[in-house]
Amino acid sequence: MYALLDGNNFYVAAEVAFRPSLAGKPVVVLSNNDGCVISRSNEARALGIKMGAPWFRVSHLADSAGLVALSANFALYGDISDRMMSLAAGLGPTQEIYSIDECFIGLDGMRGDLVERARKIRGRILQWIGVPCCIGIAPTKTLAKLSNHVAKRAERKPGSYPAHLSQVCNLGAMPKSDVDELMQATAVGEVWGVGSRIGAQLQLAGVQTVHDLVRYDTGTLRSRWGVVLERTQRELQGVPCIELDESPAPRKEIASTRSFGRPITSIEPLIEAVTAFATTAAVKLRGQASVASQVLVFARTSPFREGPRFSRSCVVPVRPTRDTRHLVAAAIAGVRKIYAPGYALAKAGVMLLDLQPDDLVQGELGLDEPHEDQTQLMTALDAINQRYGRGAIGIASAGPAGATKHWQMRQERKTPAYTTNWAELPIVRA
DNA sequence: TCTGGGGTCCTAGGACCC
DNA sequence: TCTGGGGTCCTAGGACCC
């Protein structure tokens, strides 16, 4: 048996927890660069604002409907997430943190009333952290997701599902006829693993609801859509195919990419940006004790704007390394190779590929110039930046430290890092 | 003016091997 | 006229997730 716990409108909820005056108002959190809506309060949803909507298309609602928009504050969300996950872990013996706002809990061996227990945990998270969440319980992960979906819909839209399923829903404890009924009332597109493409194809094939998918011919499903969807079907039938993953393996690739605050039209700022991206990626790389042997760098114009299009990338091989200097050098070499003048570049990025654990690196014959990672130097670099703040010490091609780069992303509505920065602690007045 | 960022897995097809 | 069989590895592209 599994539970899926996930925070309601998580980013917005984290913001509201520190600004209670926003409760009950239409609030959205915007992606980096204040680009798109990535989290909405129920009130914002009710205004018809879609997930992923470009901000400039809905910003008029700020005046007409009191919509409040905030820039993403990932330091805050990450910290609130850690706290929520610690409490969620009390639900059962095993936990898989699946994303910043949701986790699966393995419930094997749990006795007693699971729903009651889940409601208790939910209450504790709400009281201690201020973030509301919903919990779905079922025999497989895909069903737990579905169960969670039911719990959320039942809370948000009373009447869409029976009221007692609101906030916490246990499909595993229901008679089959009730489960069938819920599946008939749920669109196939809501299933975990069915996205927009396959969802549309299924609809055309006459599969409208979750119930239709459960009963669809397995052979046809497999030959037309592949083994992934077959697995999803089995999971919906109650056969566990996807295990709980308590300690995810290290990443196989690490990316750092950004859209620019303003378009770039020359190579100098592009080199600055790519230096910053490679530096960020290198820190993540060392954080998981890996080395990279390929560096991919890309740059492109906006796909939404008129004008000449540009989108190029190149992969630069390096000797397996975790040294920021080597990774930055490779990224810059890549930039010089792909760069062409005459374009308004909107986005660029660096990806580290072909990662391996740093203790398993193949040695080399000394046929070439010596090439040594300065492990101690990197350790010192990370420690200094940890203590004095990101960018306190870095690579010179990143440009002057602390200077505002005109390519840097816009974040015009960011709230303080209430819980992760001493200088930004909230102040309570009696 | 203005459209995010970071991942994973699967499959098909090509290159190559014997 | 006529052109095998079986396998691996790599890559690009497509689909999905949050």
Side-chain angles (χ1 to χ4, degrees), chain A residues 275-276 279-280 283 286 324-325 328 377-378 380-382 384-385 389-402:
Chain A
T275 299
T279 301
T280 301
V283 171
R286 292 192 289 272
T324 298
R325 296 165 305 163
V328 166
L377 181 63
M378 289 302 120
L381 190 100
D382 290 341
I384 290 168
N385 283 326
R390 267 174 77 156
I393 185 167
I395 300 281
S397 55

Side-chain angles (χ1 to χ4, degrees), chain A residues 60-120:
Chain A
H60 62 93
L61 292 169
D63 288 332
S64 62
L67 176 64
V68 176
L70 301 169
S71 301
N73 183 348
F74 290 111
L76 175 67
Y77 312 148
D79 187 59
I80 297 301
S81 172
D82 290 345
R83 295 166 194 240
M84 182 176 87
M85 294 305 173
S86 304
L87 293 184
L91 194 52
T94 50
Q95 179 182 39
E96 171 186 346
I97 295 175
Y98 178 68
S99 75
I100 193 163
D101 73 335
E102 64 190 289
C103 65
F104 289 100
I105 306 285
L107 298 174
D108 288 349
M110 298 299 297
R111 285 184 290 180
D113 186 336
L114 290 176
V115 169
E116 192 188 320
R117 188 182 177 85
R119 288 199 188 277
K120 226 175 244 175

